[in-house]
Amino acid sequence: MALSDEQAAVRDVVREFAREEIRPVAAEADRTETFPEAVWDGLAELDLTGLTVPEEYGGYDADPVTYAVVNEELAGGALAVATALSVHCLATSCLAEFATEEQRERWLPEMARGRPVGAFALSEPHAGSNPAEMSTEARRDGEEYVIDGEKQWITNGQRAGVIVLFAKTDRDDPDSITQFLVPADADGLTVGEPEDKLGLRASDTTALTFDEVRIPAENRLTEEGRGLSAAFRILTDGRIGIAAQSVGLAAHALGEALAYSREREQFGEPISEIQTIRHKLAEMATRTEAARQLTRHAARQRAAGDGALAASMAKYFASEAAMAVTNEAVQIHGGYGYVSEFDVERLYRDAKVTEIYEGTTEIQKTIIARNLLG
């Protein structure tokens, strides 16, 4: 099914922004491990920081297909930028779906304008793929909750102004996971140094340590014990976003490989005339398009009210496609693909994380098999 006129128009605007504003700074941001804040301000000007904020709070309120298209095109510029926005959108989605009216009015209009940046704190050092094992605790103390624990792999960890936190109200009860809203300047909250990562190096990924952090009871976003189901619901949208980002990475790598194959000559002709290279390009294009269609199918399923299974399929397939396509792009570039002068080196490093975050490939296969077997 083709994109609507509005969806296609959004795609074209974001594609131009990615090519004109993100790609020129992507390599330097990766090298210096610095997030390009000017790009973030540009996203805000395009209303993209309000992508999952309802219109009544100043947001764009994108449908799932538009959300996927935006993620694809931004990742075609730089995965670090797309990832930062998608995590911000996880936070605004939590507020839009689970917050009280007072909480929405307090936070969403400003977040739609890009500041404060949102973070999503679910993973822990010893509880990544199984969040039910988390140990972070938020115990009730009168009209406050007191939070102790540690979160890890938090995107926007340094940049965030507000954190959607998942913690147990009873450390020994896995059914007590609850969702909270924590201002990043709360006393007792320490942000760790950014992780030194293989890829996604312009995105700040940190640990968060909570030491007797006190927040008002009205900062609770879900009823006690309803946080994990809320997280899984929001992560369905997140997985569609990561699938779309994988497609964007693959499409960028394919474009670089096509251009290089036409320019690079060996044995008196462009390498694009060599059958082995042509077959590689054909396989890369097919993988990319298959991943795109599966991702958009998942987005349409989500718009119809379901989509969890399709989201896992899309995330699994598209992330593996991104790894395969970026790998072949490096191979087509030969020795030049192994140096940072060419984009494909960074794309290859970035692609690996798509198989890991927001549910590993193995977790997606588990979800798919569970649905198949009942």
Side-chain angles (χ1 to χ4, degrees):
M1 184 182 297
L3 298 176
S4 69
D5 290 344
E6 181 179 353
Q7 290 164 346
V10 170
R11 177 201 61 198
D12 293 344
V13 168
V14 179
R15 180 177 293 174
E16 181 179 6
F17 180 82
R19 287 179 174 172
E20 298 297 323
E21 304 296 332
I22 301 179
R23 285 194 186 185
V25 302
E28 179 68 8
D30 177 83
R31 187 184 66 79
T32 60
E33 300 181 55
T34 304
F35 188 84
E37 294 294 345
V39 167
W40 186 263
D41 294 338
L43 295 178
E45 291 175 6
L46 291 175
D47 295 330
L48 296 179
T49 49
L51 201 59
T52 62
V53 175
E55 290 181 5
E56 58 264 38
Y57 304 102
Y60 185 84
D61 200 14
D63 64 90
V65 175
T66 300
Y67 180 77
V69 166
V70 169
N71 273 277
E72 177 182 336
E73 296 302 333
L74 288 180
L79 184 63
V81 172
T83 298
L85 181 65
S86 66
V87 170
H88 176 77
C89 287
L90 288 179
T92 57
S93 294
C94 287
L95 279 157
E97 187 154 353
F98 304 111
T100 64
E101 183 61 28
E102 183 178 351
Q103 290 168 334
R104 293 189 188 104
E105 291 178 353
R106 165 68 182 86
W107 292 99
L108 285 178
E110 293 182 355
M111 294 179 78
R113 293 192 292 270
R115 314 281 177 176
V117 175
F120 186 85
L122 179 64
S123 295
E124 296 190 0
H126 304 291
S129 294
N130 185 7
E133 294 181 354
M134 72 174 61
S135 60
T136 299
E137 183 179 31
R139 63 185 185 278
R140 186 71 181 254
D141 182 19
E143 294 304 310
E144 294 181 316
Y145 282 92
V146 183
I147 305 168
D148 287 285
E150 186 174 5
K151 296 294 182 179
Q152 196 163 14
W153 318 122
I154 307 305
T155 297
N156 298 335
Q158 287 190 318
R159 303 176 60 244
V162 61
I163 299 154
V164 174
L165 171 74
F166 296 84
K168 292 177 178 175
T169 54
D170 180 347
R171 191 186 298 268
D172 298 321
D173 182 3
D175 294 326
S176 70
I177 295 173
T178 305
Q179 190 176 194
F180 300 91
L181 199 64
V182 183
D185 61 359
D187 290 339
L189 172 56
T190 302
V191 178
E193 290 297 312
E195 301 286 352
D196 186 12
K197 306 187 297 294
L198 168 70
L200 207 66
R201 294 177 69 83
S203 172
D204 55 317
T205 306
T206 73
L208 300 176
T209 302
F210 298 82
D211 183 10
E212 297 280 314
V213 174
R214 289 183 172 269
I215 60 171
E218 59 260 30
N219 280 28
R220 192 184 70 203
L221 287 180
T222 57
E223 296 177 11
E224 291 190 2
R226 299 294 298 275
L228 193 56
S229 61
F232 289 158
R233 180 164 179 168
I234 294 298
L235 283 174
T236 295
D237 297 321
R239 285 165 180 165
I240 293 172
I242 300 305
Q245 291 171 21
S246 301
V247 174
L249 272 177
H252 186 176
L254 173 61
E256 294 294 322
L258 283 167
Y260 185 81
S261 71
R262 292 186 177 111
E263 297 166 2
R264 177 68 169 172
E265 292 192 359
Q266 288 289 296
F267 310 109
E269 63 180 3
I271 63 172
S272 59
E273 297 301 315
I274 300 171
Q275 186 180 62
T276 301
I277 300 298
R278 297 171 76 89
H279 285 183
K280 284 183 182 293
L281 293 169
E283 291 167 359
M284 293 161 69
T286 302
R287 285 180 188 269
T288 301
E289 186 59 25
R292 177 180 291 116
Q293 294 304 321
L294 190 55
T295 299
R296 291 187 183 171
H297 168 71
R300 292 186 177 100
Q301 289 283 97
R302 186 62 172 161
D306 189 13
L309 173 59
S312 285
M313 288 181 169
K315 204 269 185 185
Y316 154 51
F317 185 87
S319 62
E320 293 213 335
M323 274 305 300
V325 172
T326 56
N327 178 63
E328 291 287 40
V330 169
Q331 195 71 18
I332 287 171
H333 280 69
Y336 290 109
Y338 202 66
V339 296
S340 59
E341 178 183 352
F342 288 79
D343 283 353
V344 293
E345 180 266 348
R346 171 172 48 85
L347 299 178
Y348 177 70
R349 288 187 288 106
D350 282 354
K352 184 58 190 176
V353 77
T354 66
E355 295 183 315
I356 298 172
Y357 61 6
E358 293 200 32
T360 64
T361 293
E362 290 73 23
I363 289 295
Q364 305 314 317
K365 289 179 179 179
T366 297
I367 292 169
I368 295 164
R370 184 191 306 139
N371 277 268
L372 289 173
L373 298 170

